[in-house]
Amino acid sequence: MGKHSESKEGKFKIEYYCDDDKHKDKHDHKDKEKDKDKHKHEHKHKHKDEHEHKHKPDKEHEHGKPSPQSCGVENVRVFGSSTEAALFPKTIKVPVTLAEISVVVCVEADIQLEKPALEIIRAWKSVILEQCELVPTFNPYVAKLFGSGFIRKNIEYATADRVSGSAVCGDIRHISAMIPFDFCVGITFPAGGPSLQLTPDFSSSGELGNKGGTGAQLNLGLFGNRQVYNEKPYCELVYSEFTELDIGQDLKKVKAAEHAFSHVREKIVLNLGLKVLQDQQVPLPVVTPPPKPPYTCK
């Protein structure tokens, strides 16, 4: 710090002195004030963050993530289990033919041609079986067979593009048509032959009575169920036979005795040969060796 004084000669005199203690006290006081303000600001900011955190929704609940209070499984105890001796019966698991049936299906459909046809040159058909399900009924020896599929029919036909005085000219075209069909037939299994093996499931429940014998304990219950995993029956397509009648519709005269048609009316009788099978346990035959001939002394 400096001090100004006036001398006799009219000149100013400047004197300097140290005021470290006062300056230090003022500086410490200012630092304490700053620290106090800073502490108040931090306390206010912390209180604000806690308040916002309380009122802020949980992001995990917003996105469907499980929270610590969500449902779960706790206090799981696993006890030792005893194993029984394995049995090895003399059986073999093989496909068993339950039935071989012949199914007759009648199909009627309209097939639209791309160009008018003069005549059908050739028709070729095949069957694709998409579904074949065996459903048991109330009689253990009777079941219903549901089936569906389609007939893939390829038709080659000659068109009538140009007509002259002595001929009709055109090209050879073809169309592959998918004709759907379905059926439901009954199957009766013989009493002495192979039959459908389907073991049903069951479930049960019970109540425990209270000590007085006047009612049930609502907080206790007995439940049981048994699920049997059966082998599903399936089908095999053995053969298919067709007889049909193709009728040309919308006839238009091309020449004196020639007519063209734009679509064909199909009347088909389909005969399907099906085999119904199921994987079953079949006992192996026990072969006993022949007895040894008696020993005779010579």
Side-chain angles (χ1 to χ4, degrees):
M1 296 292 293
K3 181 179 180 182
H4 295 272
S5 61
E6 186 174 358
S7 63
K8 297 180 179 181
E9 298 176 357
K11 297 181 178 179
F12 290 94
K13 184 179 179 181
I14 300 173
E15 295 180 359
Y16 292 90
Y17 61 88
C18 295
D19 196 10
D20 294 335
D21 295 335
K22 294 181 179 180
H23 182 70
K24 184 176 181 181
D25 293 337
K26 291 180 180 180
H27 185 71
D28 293 341
H29 180 72
K30 289 182 180 179
D31 291 340
K32 289 180 180 179
E33 290 293 331
K34 288 181 180 180
D35 293 338
K36 187 177 181 180
D37 293 339
K38 184 177 180 181
H39 178 70
K40 288 182 179 179
H41 179 70
E42 290 178 354
H43 180 72
K44 186 184 291 184
H45 184 69
K46 183 177 181 181
H47 179 71
K48 184 178 180 181
D49 290 343
E50 292 177 354
H51 181 73
E52 290 179 356
H53 181 70
K54 289 181 180 179
H55 291 82
K56 189 175 181 180
D58 193 356
K59 292 184 178 179
E60 292 183 352
H61 287 286
E62 291 180 355
H63 295 284
K65 296 181 180 180
S67 62
Q69 290 80 18
S70 62
C71 59
V73 180
E74 298 179 355
N75 300 327
V76 178
R77 297 181 64 188
V78 180
F79 298 92
S81 59
S82 61
T83 59
E84 298 179 357
L87 299 178
F88 299 95
K90 294 182 178 181
T91 60
I92 184 172
K93 192 173 186 179
V94 293
V96 176
T97 301
L98 303 179
E100 290 190 23
I101 61 173
S102 177
V103 181
V104 178
V105 183
C106 297
V107 184
E108 194 172 10
D110 282 329
I111 299 177
Q112 186 69 35
L113 302 178
E114 184 182 9
K115 296 179 66 175
L118 186 65
E119 63 175 332
I120 294 177
I121 304 299
R122 183 173 58 178
W124 182 83
K125 298 170 292 299
S126 63
V127 171
I128 296 179
L129 199 63
E130 290 186 314
Q131 179 189 11
C132 189
E133 302 291 343
L134 189 65
V135 181
T137 60
F138 305 102
N139 188 341
Y141 296 100
V142 178
K144 295 292 184 179
L145 183 65
F146 291 83
S148 64
F150 60 87
I151 302 171
R152 185 180 184 274
K153 183 171 182 179
N154 184 273
I155 301 175
E156 294 181 3
Y157 62 94
T159 62
D161 294 335
R162 296 177 301 278
V163 180
S164 63
S166 59
V168 178
C169 300
D171 53 3
I172 302 298
R173 290 180 172 266
H174 80 94
I175 178 173
S176 295
M178 306 297 177
I179 304 173
F181 69 89
D182 54 19
F183 61 87
C184 178
V185 295
I187 299 177
T188 302
F189 305 106
S195 61
L196 183 65
Q197 295 183 1
L198 293 178
T199 305
D201 302 335
F202 76 87
S203 61
S204 62
S205 61
E207 301 288 346
L208 296 176
N210 55 17
K211 294 183 178 180
T214 58
Q217 299 186 47
L218 300 181
N219 62 332
L220 296 176
L222 294 174
F223 302 95
N225 66 292
R226 181 171 182 259
Q227 293 180 341
V228 181
Y229 301 97
N230 299 282
E231 291 288 346
K232 182 181 178 182
Y234 58 95
C235 298
E236 287 184 359
L237 183 61
V238 181
Y239 63 87
S240 61
E241 296 176 341
F242 299 90
T243 58
E244 63 178 300
L245 178 64
D246 298 342
I247 304 173
Q249 302 288 331
D250 298 337
L251 298 178
K252 291 183 180 180
K253 188 174 181 180
V254 177
K255 207 177 174 182
E258 302 288 344
H259 294 79
F261 49 90
S262 58
H263 71 275
V264 180
R265 184 68 175 175
E266 297 280 340
K267 297 180 183 293
I268 304 173
V269 178
L270 171 63
N271 184 20
L272 294 175
L274 299 174
K275 184 181 292 187
V276 184
L277 305 100
Q278 185 186 29
D279 291 342
Q280 297 181 2
Q281 293 287 118
V282 178
L284 293 175
V286 179
V287 180
T288 58
K292 297 181 178 180
Y295 180 76
T296 58
C297 295
K298 292 183 180 180

